[in-house]
Amino acid sequence: MTTKKSIQLTDTEATLRQLLLDVSNYIAANGGQKPDLRFTGGWVRDKLLGYTSKDIDISISSMTGYKFGSLMKDFLESSANNNTKYGRGILGSLAKIEANPEKSKHLETVTTKILGLEIDLVNLRKETYVVDSRNPIMEFGSPEEDASRRDSTVNALFFNLQTSEIEDYTGRGLQDMELKLLKTPLSPYQTFKDDPLRVLRTIRFASRLGYRIDPADEHAMGEESIREALRLKISRERVGVEIVKMLQGPSPHAALSLIDRLGLYNTIFTHPSAGWFERANTQDWQLAYDQLLALTMTRLGGTYTSVSSQVITKILLKEPRDPEEVYLAWMLCCFVPWAHKIVAASNSSNPKFPKTVAAAAAREGIKADNKTTKLVEEAVLYLSDVIMTKGYAIDQPDSAARGSKQKLSSDSRELHGKAIRQWGPHWRSTVMFALLVQIAEAQNQSGASQALVTKKNLANSYLKYAERQELLDSYAAWLSGLVHLDLLNVHQMKPIVDGKQICAALAAKPGPWTKKALDIALSWQLRNPDETSSKGCIEEIVHRKSELNLDPFSSTRSLRAHVRYHGIQTAEVKCKRPSTTAKDQAIQSICHLMSCVEEFEARNSSTQGREGEKDKSQEEVSEIAYVDSGDEDEDYEESRNEDEDYEESENDGESFNRSRAIKGEVFNEDEDARVLYEIGPKPKRRKINTNSRVSLGAPTSVDAITTPEEQAAEKNSHIIEPANTFRGQYDGFCPIKLRIATGGAGESGLLRALADGFINYRVENTNCAPFTISWLKSDTTESLNYLARTVADVVITYHPLAETAAIKQDIADRREYAWRDHWMLVGPKSNEAKLEIDDQTTIYDLFSQLFRAAVETQTSKNRTLEVAALLGEYTIIDRGTWLAVEDWIREKLTVYMEGGDDETDVMLNPAHALVCTRGGNKEIANEFVDWLIDADGGQAIVGAFAVNDVILYSMAPAAAQEANSEHKDNARIIDGRNAAQWKAAYDSLHAKTQRIIQQANEALS
């Protein structure tokens, strides 16, 4: 069936369409059957949703994609192609992808590139199954047959190139788009059994588009036979492609949540044929991906956002937010259930086989690339190392010590610097993995404590939340300490000396000792971050050369330097390397040399103090380190190749066993040796002060880690990009005539309904040209700022006092009652605070009960419901937002109290429309508000607007509507309440709230 809906093509798409039609005519002119051509599937869906897409699938009615592509090539190279029209180089090479029925790849496709667009050419087809085969026979089919075999109705829409019309042969595609529903055209079980990859595609589209999956489809997706078919029948490369697209999409959390809920984890994230793999326990996996969602949603600088979350987000995900770090965090989150599973070496004859189950699942389960597999492997192998390193700095046995001042020692910088360098360039991802693992494990550790919950001590019911928050605080404190130590980029630090310089200083050839020498150099460099000269580092190595176990006769040069160091002149000492043919002579020389050394040391000890001798020896060694006599060059050149070989493994010298350090073999266990961090402002550039004393605790300000780049990032702040634009029933270019700023009404969809209704009304009744209304997403403060800057023509807000102030300040000159929203108190279904509700209970009573439960939650206004659902908190939210959010959020929460329409109800959330005093579109702004408050206009839409078959808002009160209708030309109606009345009501509410808080504090004390 065709529809009246049309699609506005870009210039490139229009050129492509004309080229394809010309090829079709060229085929017919040369005696072939003229094919019907259509753009299909995702491109049509995305265009209808307003997205741009450079991937276009083209269906052909009467020939294969490869044949059509070949004929297109002939056309472009023929005289029929006017070179001034298309040219000869616009078509890329044709790549044929053969069908592979055993892996559910039933169709041959051809890919190419035209005009910069990625093109797939494929014929219309139908699938016919025979009794004794699970693989279909592919045949040429009709558009109806082709549409019916697709994975969902919204992906079965066609754009006919001949008629420029949208075709919906399932009869449900456009309807399901309006419902935001994913549903298979045919039986869901058979659809997924025919091609199990459609299960993952459905999950990806649901997470990307924010659509819900039809219950019957979701049930079929979780069938054991479908899961088994997905595990065995689909190539793991295709599985991996879908997983990567999910994690790089707008909502990885929604995708992982669906995978978890459908029981698909052990189908996807495992080796498909490794029988020794046990099934992963995913019981607590949700805690990990819920926490990662909360972190990725964290708004830096937000008033209501946990400072610890801000610190963790800013350091581990970077600011501005690094898409690569976010993607890697979600990828590692997929393998949290395998965090403690190590593969024994005997399990595989392949020495390159991953050492961990997680890495094996990444490589074999989703065919991750080598970089990702290595990242997963290292995250698991370094897991305990990260936890111990963080614990060394933060987790004190005595909880009181966490708030005490401790010395920030240079040893700590060495410890953490070496750790980060060992973890490598993706150390942030490794730390994030450790955090998510510990978050998931916190559930099990706190489970036994639930018996402590009593009515008398309700605060214990929040043990799990408190434990997770304490864990976040500890990570934030540790990471902020790394900022204070200037270690975030230590993995990029270039060594101040290299192997050749060390060999020259010690007059020795490279060997096993050089690894230890480089480790000494790294330690010195980390303890002295402000030193730029290598002299001090080389002196440190020379001074500690006894630790290197150097062979004194490893070269002629080292022997001569050893002799000079002790001031020995003896004929018996040979300055040539001993050979195997002169073993006895070499032994004799060594013995004589050692006796000379002992005599020399004894003589010096009688004339000088020990410290003086040490200083003199160091000075002599430093001097010798730079001596290079000409007759030694030949021997030194002999070692050059060995030096080069060694430099390839210099980084190995950075490995450091922190478990030994923690046991006290390297660092003292004294309290003074432990390192604590201050979370406070720091200068932009400062010299590391290793003697400063600072305090540890949960961060108090995110400004502690502000970078110079962020301070310079504020620009183009005057440019406001609309969150969406509305054109009513009209397509094509329509100028923006009205700018409306609001928040919840735009997110719920009411603003779209009102905007479309007003555009249609005005065009039909005034014969004006179609126009566009833009939505500026904002809260009350931003909305009033937009009015003051004349960025918005109309704002819809929910704050009477602020609105009255805007009128008085002449920012707005009109205020009308738009509709009634309602506040709701929502919280976890488990009712952790044991709220008691009856017919007489008021919202103040519930606030008092919450205070008595010692709960003071911190939630972000922008993502209040998500955070409440994830962390088990109670929150106040408006009814429109509650009904407009995703189903999974509401499933975790319940409504404890909801406001009514009574004007005296404090849970009423009235919305008012304000008109900008100096707006450029004031005439149409007033027309919109007139229409909005009219009972037959906008109020009719408000009263009928529903989400999930539930009415969201109430119409403005009849008295307000009547008053407004009498004063449409008078501009300063304020709901019959003056500013003094609003002020009195506010003061009364504020005083009552303060009394409740005081009573709660007294009860807690």
Side-chain angles (χ1 to χ4, degrees):
M1 58 178 286
T2 59
T3 69
K4 293 183 178 179
K5 283 183 175 289
S6 61
I7 289 178
Q8 187 71 30
L9 300 179
T10 65
D11 291 342
T12 302
E13 291 165 346
T15 302
L16 174 63
R17 170 183 174 272
Q18 189 57 53
L19 168 61
L20 295 171
L21 292 176
D22 287 348
V23 173
S24 180
N25 293 330
Y26 170 78
I27 294 171
N30 285 273
Q33 181 181 352
K34 183 177 180 179
D36 293 330
L37 304 173
R38 294 172 174 83
F39 290 164
T40 66
W43 179 89
V44 182
R45 178 202 66 230
D46 287 347
K47 292 291 285 188
L48 289 174
L49 291 173
Y51 303 143
T52 58
S53 177
K54 291 192 174 182
D55 295 328
I56 304 180
D57 294 345
I58 300 171
S59 67
I60 307 154
S61 63
S62 57
M63 63 181 64
T64 66
Y66 188 77
K67 184 176 181 181
F68 183 84
S70 300
L71 291 172
M72 185 191 303
K73 185 176 181 181
D74 293 343
F75 165 75
L76 291 172
E77 293 175 352
S78 70
S79 58
N81 173 28
N82 184 344
N83 288 335
T84 61
K85 187 174 184 180
Y86 298 118
R88 295 179 181 272
I90 66 169
L91 176 65
S93 60
L94 301 176
K96 181 191 292 187
I97 302 176
E98 301 289 349
N100 185 2
E102 290 298 323
K103 293 297 182 180
S104 289
K105 181 70 174 71
H106 302 308
L107 192 66
E108 172 193 293
T109 58
V110 171
T111 63
T112 188
K113 198 166 188 176
I114 306 175
L115 299 171
L117 302 173
E118 299 292 338
I119 305 297
D120 282 0
L121 301 171
V122 65
N123 57 279
L124 291 173
R125 67 273 193 195
K126 67 177 180 179
E127 298 175 351
T128 303
Y129 287 83
V130 294
V131 176
D132 59 348
S133 175
R134 66 178 183 178
N135 297 320
I137 299 173
M138 302 304 299
E139 301 174 352
F140 283 94
S142 64
E144 293 88 345
E145 292 169 328
D146 188 276
S148 68
R149 56 158 299 282
R150 293 180 176 265
D151 52 14
S152 66
T153 56
V154 299
N155 289 336
L157 298 171
F158 298 159
F159 177 73
N160 191 307
L161 300 192
Q162 287 77 16
T163 64
S164 294
E165 292 179 334
I166 295 175
E167 298 171 337
D168 183 4
Y169 287 103
T170 67
R172 291 201 45 152
L174 295 172
Q175 176 186 346
D176 287 345
M177 284 190 67
E178 291 291 334
L179 296 173
K180 295 186 175 181
L181 178 70
L182 291 175
K183 181 174 179 58
T184 57
L186 301 177
S187 162
Y189 182 85
Q190 192 60 49
T191 298
F192 295 130
K193 193 64 179 293
D194 292 345
D195 185 358
L197 188 68
R198 290 168 177 163
V199 171
L200 298 184
R201 285 172 53 83
T202 300
I203 292 174
R204 173 163 63 87
F205 289 132
S207 64
R208 177 195 166 196
L209 302 174
Y211 282 16
R212 59 190 177 89
I213 302 173
D214 183 82
D217 289 36
E218 189 168 316
H219 177 76
M221 292 164 68
E223 289 277 354
E224 178 62 31
S225 59
I226 299 297
R227 295 202 302 264
E228 187 68 7
L230 176 60
R231 186 177 73 85
L232 298 176
K233 195 176 178 183
I234 303 300
S235 72
R236 306 312 282 192
E237 288 83 1
R238 298 177 73 194
V239 171
V241 168
E242 292 298 324
I243 294 298
V244 169
K245 288 181 178 180
M246 292 178 199
L247 300 184
Q248 291 178 338
S251 185
H253 175 272
L256 297 187
S257 180
L258 280 169
I259 289 173
D260 193 12
R261 189 165 79 232
L262 295 172
L264 292 171
Y265 185 90
N266 285 291
T267 301
I268 298 170
F269 299 107
T270 55
H271 192 304
S273 59
W276 44 267
F277 268 14
E278 60 181 291
R279 292 177 63 84
N281 182 357
T282 59
Q283 179 181 354
D284 301 318
W285 184 38
Q286 180 180 347
L287 294 172
Y289 59 72
D290 281 355
Q291 183 62 63
L292 183 53
L293 173 64
L295 291 174
T296 57
M297 291 188 314
T298 296
R299 186 179 69 176
L300 298 182
T303 306
Y304 300 101
T305 305
S306 163
V307 176
S308 292
S309 295
Q310 293 184 53
V311 170
I312 293 170
T313 299
K314 192 166 190 175
I315 295 177
L316 296 187
L317 300 181
K318 297 184 180 179
E319 181 62 22
R321 202 68 51 86
D322 187 341
E324 177 70 9
E325 292 292 348
V326 174
Y327 164 72
L328 293 178
W330 282 112
M331 177 60 77
L332 287 175
C333 184
C334 295
F335 299 97
V336 166
W338 292 123
H340 298 291
K341 301 294 182 181
I342 307 298
V343 180
S346 60
N347 283 334
S348 175
S349 59
N350 182 359
K352 294 184 178 181
F353 193 81
K355 300 181 180 65
T356 66
V357 173
R363 194 179 82 166
E364 302 298 334
I366 61 173
K367 291 299 179 183
D369 57 30
N370 291 337
K371 174 184 173 182
T372 302
T373 302
K374 181 181 178 183
L375 174 69
V376 173
E377 176 121 300
E378 291 180 344
V380 175
L381 293 177
Y382 291 138
L383 174 61
S384 59
D385 200 21
V386 173
I387 295 173
M388 284 200 315
T389 304
K390 191 265 296 185
Y392 175 77
I394 299 297
D395 299 333
Q396 301 296 322
D398 181 7
S399 60
R402 297 188 62 181
S404 63
K405 291 186 177 181
Q406 299 287 340
K407 185 177 180 180
L408 186 62
S409 68
S410 59
D411 286 345
S412 172
R413 194 172 195 279
E414 177 184 348
L415 170 70
H416 292 89
K418 286 186 173 182
I420 292 174
R421 287 178 69 86
Q422 183 180 16
W423 300 338
H426 294 298
W427 70 269
R428 289 178 171 86
S429 301
T430 301
V431 172
M432 178 66 81
F433 180 76
L435 169 61
L436 297 178
V437 170
Q438 288 198 278
I439 287 289
E441 292 174 347
Q443 171 77 16
N444 291 329
Q445 294 170 359
S446 62
S449 301
Q450 297 309 302
L452 299 175
V453 179
T454 64
K455 288 186 177 181
K456 187 176 180 180
N457 188 9
L458 291 175
N460 283 336
S461 64
Y462 281 84
L463 180 62
K464 289 181 289 186
Y465 165 74
E467 186 172 348
R468 291 197 299 270
Q469 188 58 47
E470 184 179 8
L471 188 62
L472 292 174
D473 289 345
S474 69
Y475 269 87
W478 176 46
L479 292 171
S480 298
L482 297 182
V483 174
H484 186 83
L485 291 169
D486 197 20
L487 288 174
L488 296 189
N489 296 313
V490 71
H491 59 286
Q492 299 174 342
M493 181 182 74
K494 294 182 179 180
I496 198 168
V497 295
D498 58 25
K500 287 185 178 181
Q501 290 175 290
I502 294 174
C503 289
L506 296 179
K509 292 182 64 175
W513 63 271
T514 46
K515 183 176 181 179
K516 174 64 176 175
L518 286 169
D519 191 60
I520 293 173
L522 177 61
S523 298
W524 182 91
Q525 190 173 352
L526 289 170
R527 292 194 307 270
N528 300 273
D530 299 309
E531 292 291 339
T532 57
S533 172
S534 62
K535 183 177 180 181
C537 181
I538 292 176
E539 289 175 352
E540 172 83 0
I541 296 171
V542 172
H543 175 60
R544 296 174 58 185
K545 76 172 187 175
S546 61
E547 302 174 23
L548 305 180
N549 297 320
L550 276 172
D551 178 2
F553 300 103
S554 60
S555 70
T556 302
R557 189 178 180 206
S558 65
L559 177 58
R560 183 179 290 111
H562 194 71
V563 172
R564 286 192 59 189
Y565 172 74
H566 290 287
I568 299 171
Q569 301 293 335
T570 174
E572 282 81 359
V573 177
K574 307 297 182 181
C575 291
K576 293 189 179 295
R577 183 179 300 145
S579 64
T580 56
T581 58
K583 182 176 180 180
D584 293 338
Q585 182 181 2
I587 293 175
Q588 182 182 2
S589 298
I590 293 172
C591 292
H592 184 82
L593 174 62
M594 296 308 297
S595 64
C596 293
V597 170
E598 292 172 0
E599 179 183 352
F600 179 78
E601 290 179 342
R603 183 171 65 249
N604 277 316
S605 64
S606 65
T607 58
Q608 296 182 348
R610 183 169 300 180
E611 293 298 319
E613 172 61 22
K614 180 178 181 181
D615 293 341
K616 179 180 178 182
S617 301
Q618 288 182 357
E619 291 174 3
E620 291 175 344
V621 171
S622 300
E623 180 182 0
I624 294 171
Y626 297 96
V627 173
D628 190 11
S629 58
D631 59 338
E632 296 164 357
D633 288 345
E634 182 178 353
D635 289 310
Y636 186 71
E637 288 292 331
E638 292 175 3
S639 68
R640 204 172 268 180
N641 291 334
E642 293 181 45
D643 286 345
E644 292 170 357
D645 292 339
Y646 175 75
E647 283 192 312
E648 295 179 1
S649 61
E650 280 183 12
N651 289 334
D652 293 340
E654 299 171 6
S655 60
F656 183 70
N657 188 341
R658 271 162 307 287
S659 62
R660 291 184 59 204
I662 293 170
K663 291 176 182 177
E665 295 180 29
V666 177
F667 296 97
N668 293 330
E669 283 292 339
D670 298 337
E671 284 298 315
D672 288 342
R674 293 189 178 274
V675 183
L676 301 176
Y677 305 115
E678 180 181 33
I679 314 305
K682 71 176 184 63
K684 296 179 184 177
R685 293 293 299 167
R686 74 273 181 267
K687 186 174 182 179
I688 301 292
N689 182 5
T690 58
N691 296 318
S692 62
R693 298 176 68 84
V694 296
S695 61
L696 169 72
T700 58
S701 171
V702 76
D703 293 335
I705 52 175
T706 302
T707 62
E709 292 79 2
E710 293 170 76
Q711 298 171 359
E714 190 172 334
K715 59 181 180 179
N716 296 330
S717 58
H718 63 286
I719 300 175
I720 308 299
E721 292 289 339
N724 209 338
T725 55
F726 314 115
R727 298 182 178 85
Q729 62 186 5
Y730 305 98
D731 295 321
F733 173 75
C734 300
I736 295 177
K737 292 292 188 181
L738 188 62
R739 300 163 298 174
I740 302 176
T742 189
E747 293 178 336
S748 69
L750 175 61
L751 184 60
R752 173 187 286 276
L754 290 171
D756 289 345
F758 177 65
I759 293 170
N760 297 338
Y761 163 82
R762 193 168 187 268
V763 173
E764 293 170 2
N765 288 274
T766 66
N767 294 322
C768 70
F771 60 95
T772 296
I773 295 178
S774 66
W775 166 36
L776 307 180
K777 186 176 180 180
S778 60
D779 57 21
T780 295
T781 302
E782 291 171 323
S783 295
L784 296 180
N785 283 335
Y786 289 167
L787 277 187
R789 295 158 54 192
T790 67
V791 171
D793 304 304
V794 176
V795 301
I796 299 172
T797 57
Y798 301 83
H799 198 302
L801 289 176
E803 294 158 5
T804 303
I807 294 289
K808 287 186 174 181
Q809 296 173 17
D810 204 27
I811 295 172
D813 62 3
R814 182 178 184 185
R815 177 173 177 269
E816 304 287 0
Y817 207 133
W819 60 78
R820 288 173 289 185
D821 199 350
H822 309 83
W823 293 114
M824 308 170 75
L825 174 65
V826 303
K829 290 185 176 181
S830 57
N831 195 12
E832 302 281 353
K834 301 296 186 293
L835 297 182
E836 299 177 355
I837 304 174
D838 55 34
D839 295 340
Q840 304 300 318
T841 304
T842 68
I843 188 64
Y844 301 114
D845 298 326
L846 296 183
F847 283 161
S848 180
Q849 292 181 45
L850 287 174
F851 276 116
R852 284 188 170 87
V855 177
E856 295 182 8
T857 59
Q858 289 185 332
T859 54
S860 168
K861 186 175 181 181
N862 287 348
R863 296 292 187 180
T864 309
L865 283 173
E866 287 89 336
V867 176
L870 298 177
L871 301 182
E873 297 176 342
Y874 295 82
T875 187
I876 295 289
I877 198 67
D878 61 279
R879 189 164 184 260
T881 302
W882 169 255
L883 293 175
V885 296
E886 299 174 40
D887 293 340
W888 71 267
I889 298 176
R890 287 198 300 274
E891 290 171 359
K892 290 175 176 283
L893 302 170
T894 191
V895 177
Y896 290 97
M897 181 166 287
E898 180 176 0
D901 286 342
D902 189 335
E903 288 296 300
T904 63
D905 190 342
V906 295
M907 296 288 277
L908 178 67
N909 188 25
H912 297 85
L914 282 74
V915 178
C916 182
T917 302
R918 292 172 292 278
N921 303 310
K922 190 168 183 179
E923 180 179 353
I924 192 173
N926 277 301
E927 287 184 35
F928 171 76
V929 175
D930 289 343
W931 174 86
L932 171 63
I933 63 178
D934 192 285
D936 297 325
Q939 290 300 301
I941 293 177
V942 170
F945 184 77
V947 172
N948 296 329
D949 298 324
V950 179
I951 300 296
L952 261 70
Y953 306 97
S954 300
M955 298 169 62
Q961 292 182 30
E962 183 177 349
N964 288 338
S965 64
E966 293 175 359
H967 299 86
K968 283 183 180 178
D969 295 328
N970 284 335
R972 298 177 188 255
I973 304 294
I974 311 179
D975 283 356
R977 298 190 186 187
N978 57 38
Q981 288 174 315
W982 282 114
K983 180 70 164 56
Y986 173 79
D987 290 344
S988 175
L989 176 62
H990 179 72
K992 192 168 186 178
T993 303
Q994 291 301 313
R995 287 197 301 273
I996 294 171
I997 294 174
Q998 183 178 359
Q999 293 170 3
N1001 288 332
E1002 290 174 356
L1004 289 172
S1005 62

